[in-house]
Amino acid sequence: MEYDELGKLSPFHLDVIRETVNIGAGNAATALSQLLGSVVTMDVPKAELVSIYELTDRYASPTELVCAVYLRFEGEISGNMLWIMSEETAQELVNILVKKDLGDLLQDQIDQIADSLLVEVGNIVLSSFLNAISTMINCPLPVTVPAIAHDMLGAILDLLAAYYGMTGEVAIISETKLCVANNKNSLGGHVMLLPDPQSLSTLLSKLGVL
Amino acid sequence: MVAKHPVVLTSLGLGSCIGLVIYDDIAKVAGMSHIMLPNNHEDKDVKKLGKYADTAVPKLIEDLIALGALKSRLKAKMAGGAQMFSIPGKNSGSFLAIGERNIETTKKMLEKYGIPLVASDVGGNKGRSVEFYTDNWIMIVKVIGSEVKKL
């Protein structure tokens, strides 16, 4: 199967990718749970093909402020990963993890500490996700250093639209939501696995369905 | 898309992409393209020519002329082309820097077709929402955490 046949992925293939997200997210939820010391549950995963022209306003208002951690994996199979959460969730995670009072520091310094913390948590969540998949398909998936952005959801998804736009007009979005339980606010974030179209056939064949 | 006055052309949540507006304020017509990538190398079946900078500019011009615009009166304004994520040591030439290439190619194409770029707000690392009003031919650019800009 060639990459330009992304739009021709069968419902069965999408099911297999959904199950892969399930396994990756399960591992990510465990890692996040150990880090936070609370129960982390996950939603039923999704895997869908979305027109790149509809991507930016498909999931929520494109102007909603979110925090996103990004990393890229490049091995025999390559792709991008995103952890997207509301700005409130990001702030709450920082509050849970930073036990010390940062009141004496300048706002700039507090923001820097918060960002480096969120990048690290994102790194743990996304790497745990990939590790489970890597083990399952017996294929190393080396990752880049993660990066963070606080911006409009649309602007983050816009990058994905352009990315999948390089090879066609359809994006494959597979994701699930992690929810931190026992918290008065609903904490959670969407973990997205975004395989490169050129890698899909390798991924599916390693999963034994191609 | 192109339209006659009165209209508000919007593009919400632009990241690396570019919101390009070309207009003729005498014929009172304007059009906006959401440019995602610089060049259309071999994608002949593309449904939206506005996707690529090199096909978006001639397509907008053609559609505006069909709507009554005069080519010599056309002017352009644009915003976008941010780099949303930076990874140390992996930036130049990588996909993450696609915004910069979108800006360059769009500017080159406007130059090639002789359309003056009268105002722009491009680059940086923040997403933008743009609204273009044919009442006053002004482009409003909104960035989270910053003052609204009027181009």
Short mmCIF file of all heavy atoms in Angstrom, two decimals, chain B residues 52-86:
data_model
loop_
_atom_site.label_atom_id
_atom_site.label_comp_id
_atom_site.label_asym_id
_atom_site.label_seq_id
_atom_site.Cartn_x
_atom_site.Cartn_y
_atom_site.Cartn_z
N TYR B 52 -1.65 25.62 -1.85
CA TYR B 52 -0.24 25.91 -2.11
C TYR B 52 -0.04 27.38 -2.49
O TYR B 52 -0.81 27.91 -3.31
CB TYR B 52 0.28 25.06 -3.27
CG TYR B 52 0.19 23.58 -3.05
CD1 TYR B 52 -0.87 22.85 -3.57
CD2 TYR B 52 1.18 22.91 -2.33
CE1 TYR B 52 -0.95 21.47 -3.37
CE2 TYR B 52 1.10 21.54 -2.14
CZ TYR B 52 0.04 20.82 -2.66
OH TYR B 52 -0.04 19.48 -2.46
N ALA B 53 1.03 27.98 -1.98
CA ALA B 53 1.29 29.39 -2.28
C ALA B 53 1.40 29.62 -3.79
O ALA B 53 0.87 30.60 -4.32
CB ALA B 53 2.57 29.84 -1.58
N ASP B 54 2.07 28.73 -4.48
CA ASP B 54 2.33 28.99 -5.91
C ASP B 54 1.09 28.84 -6.79
O ASP B 54 1.06 29.38 -7.90
CB ASP B 54 3.50 28.14 -6.43
CG ASP B 54 3.25 26.65 -6.36
OD1 ASP B 54 2.26 26.25 -5.71
OD2 ASP B 54 4.05 25.89 -6.92
N THR B 55 0.06 28.12 -6.31
CA THR B 55 -1.17 28.05 -7.10
C THR B 55 -2.26 28.96 -6.53
O THR B 55 -3.16 29.38 -7.25
CB THR B 55 -1.71 26.59 -7.18
OG1 THR B 55 -1.69 26.02 -5.87
CG2 THR B 55 -0.86 25.74 -8.10
N ALA B 56 -2.14 29.29 -5.23
CA ALA B 56 -3.17 30.11 -4.58
C ALA B 56 -3.21 31.51 -5.17
O ALA B 56 -4.29 32.06 -5.42
CB ALA B 56 -2.91 30.20 -3.07
N VAL B 57 -2.03 32.11 -5.40
CA VAL B 57 -1.98 33.50 -5.86
C VAL B 57 -2.63 33.66 -7.25
O VAL B 57 -3.55 34.47 -7.41
CB VAL B 57 -0.54 34.06 -5.80
CG1 VAL B 57 -0.46 35.43 -6.42
CG2 VAL B 57 -0.06 34.10 -4.33
N PRO B 58 -2.21 32.90 -8.27
CA PRO B 58 -2.87 33.05 -9.58
C PRO B 58 -4.37 32.72 -9.55
O PRO B 58 -5.16 33.37 -10.23
CB PRO B 58 -2.11 32.08 -10.50
CG PRO B 58 -1.25 31.25 -9.63
CD PRO B 58 -1.06 31.99 -8.34
N LYS B 59 -4.75 31.75 -8.70
CA LYS B 59 -6.16 31.36 -8.61
C LYS B 59 -7.00 32.50 -8.02
O LYS B 59 -8.08 32.83 -8.52
CB LYS B 59 -6.29 30.09 -7.75
CG LYS B 59 -7.70 29.67 -7.41
CD LYS B 59 -8.43 29.10 -8.63
CE LYS B 59 -9.80 28.57 -8.22
NZ LYS B 59 -10.78 28.70 -9.30
N LEU B 60 -6.47 33.13 -6.97
CA LEU B 60 -7.19 34.26 -6.35
C LEU B 60 -7.35 35.40 -7.36
O LEU B 60 -8.43 35.99 -7.49
CB LEU B 60 -6.42 34.79 -5.14
CG LEU B 60 -6.86 34.38 -3.73
CD1 LEU B 60 -6.03 35.13 -2.69
CD2 LEU B 60 -8.34 34.65 -3.50
N ILE B 61 -6.26 35.70 -8.07
CA ILE B 61 -6.29 36.79 -9.06
C ILE B 61 -7.35 36.50 -10.12
O ILE B 61 -8.19 37.35 -10.45
CB ILE B 61 -4.90 36.96 -9.73
CG1 ILE B 61 -3.88 37.41 -8.67
CG2 ILE B 61 -4.96 37.96 -10.87
CD1 ILE B 61 -2.43 37.41 -9.16
N GLU B 62 -7.34 35.28 -10.63
CA GLU B 62 -8.28 34.88 -11.67
C GLU B 62 -9.74 35.01 -11.18
O GLU B 62 -10.59 35.57 -11.86
CB GLU B 62 -7.97 33.41 -12.03
CG GLU B 62 -8.76 32.84 -13.17
CD GLU B 62 -8.56 31.32 -13.26
OE1 GLU B 62 -7.41 30.85 -13.09
OE2 GLU B 62 -9.56 30.61 -13.46
N ASP B 63 -10.00 34.52 -9.96
CA ASP B 63 -11.36 34.57 -9.42
C ASP B 63 -11.81 36.00 -9.16
O ASP B 63 -12.99 36.33 -9.34
CB ASP B 63 -11.44 33.77 -8.11
CG ASP B 63 -11.34 32.26 -8.36
OD1 ASP B 63 -11.34 31.86 -9.53
OD2 ASP B 63 -11.24 31.50 -7.37
N LEU B 64 -10.86 36.85 -8.73
CA LEU B 64 -11.21 38.25 -8.46
C LEU B 64 -11.53 38.99 -9.76
O LEU B 64 -12.47 39.79 -9.81
CB LEU B 64 -10.07 38.96 -7.70
CG LEU B 64 -9.94 38.57 -6.23
CD1 LEU B 64 -8.60 39.01 -5.67
CD2 LEU B 64 -11.08 39.16 -5.41
N ILE B 65 -10.75 38.72 -10.79
CA ILE B 65 -11.00 39.36 -12.09
C ILE B 65 -12.36 38.92 -12.63
O ILE B 65 -13.14 39.74 -13.12
CB ILE B 65 -9.84 39.06 -13.08
CG1 ILE B 65 -8.59 39.82 -12.62
CG2 ILE B 65 -10.22 39.45 -14.51
CD1 ILE B 65 -7.33 39.51 -13.39
N ALA B 66 -12.67 37.65 -12.43
CA ALA B 66 -13.97 37.14 -12.87
C ALA B 66 -15.11 37.84 -12.13
O ALA B 66 -16.23 37.93 -12.62
CB ALA B 66 -14.04 35.63 -12.65
N LEU B 67 -14.82 38.34 -10.94
CA LEU B 67 -15.82 39.01 -10.13
C LEU B 67 -15.83 40.52 -10.38
O LEU B 67 -16.54 41.28 -9.72
CB LEU B 67 -15.54 38.71 -8.65
CG LEU B 67 -16.70 38.64 -7.67
CD1 LEU B 67 -17.67 37.52 -8.05
CD2 LEU B 67 -16.19 38.43 -6.25
N GLY B 68 -14.99 40.99 -11.30
CA GLY B 68 -15.01 42.40 -11.67
C GLY B 68 -13.79 43.21 -11.27
O GLY B 68 -13.75 44.41 -11.48
N ALA B 69 -12.81 42.58 -10.66
CA ALA B 69 -11.62 43.31 -10.23
C ALA B 69 -10.73 43.65 -11.42
O ALA B 69 -10.80 43.00 -12.47
CB ALA B 69 -10.83 42.49 -9.22
N LEU B 70 -9.91 44.69 -11.26
CA LEU B 70 -8.94 45.06 -12.27
C LEU B 70 -7.57 44.68 -11.73
O LEU B 70 -7.21 45.07 -10.62
CB LEU B 70 -9.03 46.57 -12.50
CG LEU B 70 -8.46 47.09 -13.82
CD1 LEU B 70 -9.25 46.54 -15.01
CD2 LEU B 70 -8.49 48.61 -13.83
N LYS B 71 -6.80 43.95 -12.53
CA LYS B 71 -5.55 43.41 -12.01
C LYS B 71 -4.61 44.50 -11.49
O LYS B 71 -3.98 44.35 -10.45
CB LYS B 71 -4.84 42.59 -13.09
CG LYS B 71 -3.59 41.90 -12.56
CD LYS B 71 -3.13 40.76 -13.45
CE LYS B 71 -1.90 40.08 -12.87
NZ LYS B 71 -0.66 40.82 -13.07
N SER B 72 -4.57 45.63 -12.20
CA SER B 72 -3.64 46.69 -11.80
C SER B 72 -4.02 47.35 -10.47
O SER B 72 -3.22 48.07 -9.88
CB SER B 72 -3.58 47.74 -12.90
OG SER B 72 -4.87 48.27 -13.10
N ARG B 73 -5.26 47.14 -10.04
CA ARG B 73 -5.69 47.74 -8.77
C ARG B 73 -5.56 46.79 -7.59
O ARG B 73 -5.81 47.18 -6.45
CB ARG B 73 -7.16 48.17 -8.89
CG ARG B 73 -7.38 49.48 -9.63
CD ARG B 73 -8.77 50.04 -9.33
NE ARG B 73 -9.84 49.07 -9.60
CZ ARG B 73 -10.76 49.24 -10.57
NH1 ARG B 73 -10.74 50.28 -11.35
NH2 ARG B 73 -11.70 48.33 -10.74
N LEU B 74 -5.20 45.54 -7.84
CA LEU B 74 -5.17 44.55 -6.76
C LEU B 74 -4.06 44.84 -5.76
O LEU B 74 -2.96 45.25 -6.12
CB LEU B 74 -4.98 43.13 -7.34
CG LEU B 74 -6.15 42.58 -8.15
CD1 LEU B 74 -5.81 41.21 -8.72
CD2 LEU B 74 -7.42 42.51 -7.31
N LYS B 75 -4.39 44.62 -4.47
CA LYS B 75 -3.42 44.76 -3.39
C LYS B 75 -3.55 43.55 -2.48
O LYS B 75 -4.60 42.90 -2.46
CB LYS B 75 -3.72 46.03 -2.57
CG LYS B 75 -3.38 47.32 -3.28
CD LYS B 75 -3.73 48.50 -2.39
CE LYS B 75 -4.61 49.47 -3.15
NZ LYS B 75 -5.27 50.45 -2.36
N ALA B 76 -2.51 43.28 -1.71
CA ALA B 76 -2.54 42.09 -0.84
C ALA B 76 -2.18 42.43 0.59
O ALA B 76 -1.43 43.36 0.86
CB ALA B 76 -1.58 41.05 -1.39
N LYS B 77 -2.78 41.67 1.51
CA LYS B 77 -2.40 41.70 2.93
C LYS B 77 -2.32 40.26 3.39
O LYS B 77 -3.09 39.42 2.93
CB LYS B 77 -3.45 42.46 3.76
CG LYS B 77 -3.55 43.93 3.41
CD LYS B 77 -4.46 44.69 4.36
CE LYS B 77 -4.47 46.18 3.98
NZ LYS B 77 -5.24 47.00 4.92
N MET B 78 -1.38 39.99 4.28
CA MET B 78 -1.32 38.61 4.76
C MET B 78 -0.84 38.50 6.20
O MET B 78 -0.19 39.41 6.72
CB MET B 78 -0.43 37.76 3.85
CG MET B 78 1.05 38.06 3.92
SD MET B 78 1.90 36.85 2.86
CE MET B 78 3.59 37.16 3.25
N ALA B 79 -1.20 37.36 6.83
CA ALA B 79 -0.77 37.09 8.20
C ALA B 79 -0.62 35.58 8.37
O ALA B 79 -1.28 34.81 7.68
CB ALA B 79 -1.79 37.63 9.20
N GLY B 80 0.27 35.18 9.26
CA GLY B 80 0.47 33.75 9.53
C GLY B 80 1.92 33.35 9.39
O GLY B 80 2.82 34.17 9.52
N GLY B 81 2.12 32.07 9.12
CA GLY B 81 3.48 31.57 8.90
C GLY B 81 4.32 31.44 10.16
O GLY B 81 5.53 31.61 10.13
N ALA B 82 3.66 31.13 11.28
CA ALA B 82 4.40 30.99 12.55
C ALA B 82 5.08 29.62 12.63
O ALA B 82 4.72 28.70 11.90
CB ALA B 82 3.44 31.15 13.72
N GLN B 83 6.06 29.54 13.51
CA GLN B 83 6.65 28.23 13.82
C GLN B 83 6.13 27.84 15.20
O GLN B 83 6.56 28.39 16.22
CB GLN B 83 8.17 28.30 13.81
CG GLN B 83 8.79 26.98 14.27
CD GLN B 83 10.23 26.79 13.86
OE1 GLN B 83 10.79 27.58 13.11
NE2 GLN B 83 10.84 25.72 14.36
N MET B 84 5.20 26.89 15.25
CA MET B 84 4.51 26.57 16.49
C MET B 84 5.40 25.86 17.51
O MET B 84 5.29 26.06 18.70
CB MET B 84 3.26 25.72 16.21
CG MET B 84 2.27 26.35 15.26
SD MET B 84 1.75 28.00 15.75
CE MET B 84 0.98 27.64 17.32
N PHE B 85 6.26 24.97 17.02
CA PHE B 85 7.13 24.21 17.92
C PHE B 85 8.58 24.38 17.50
O PHE B 85 8.88 24.39 16.30
CB PHE B 85 6.79 22.72 17.88
CG PHE B 85 5.43 22.39 18.40
CD1 PHE B 85 4.39 22.13 17.52
CD2 PHE B 85 5.16 22.34 19.75
CE1 PHE B 85 3.11 21.82 17.98
CE2 PHE B 85 3.90 22.04 20.23
CZ PHE B 85 2.86 21.78 19.34
N SER B 86 9.47 24.49 18.50
CA SER B 86 10.90 24.54 18.20
C SER B 86 11.61 23.42 18.92
O SER B 86 11.44 23.25 20.12
CB SER B 86 11.50 25.86 18.69
OG SER B 86 10.90 26.92 18.02
#
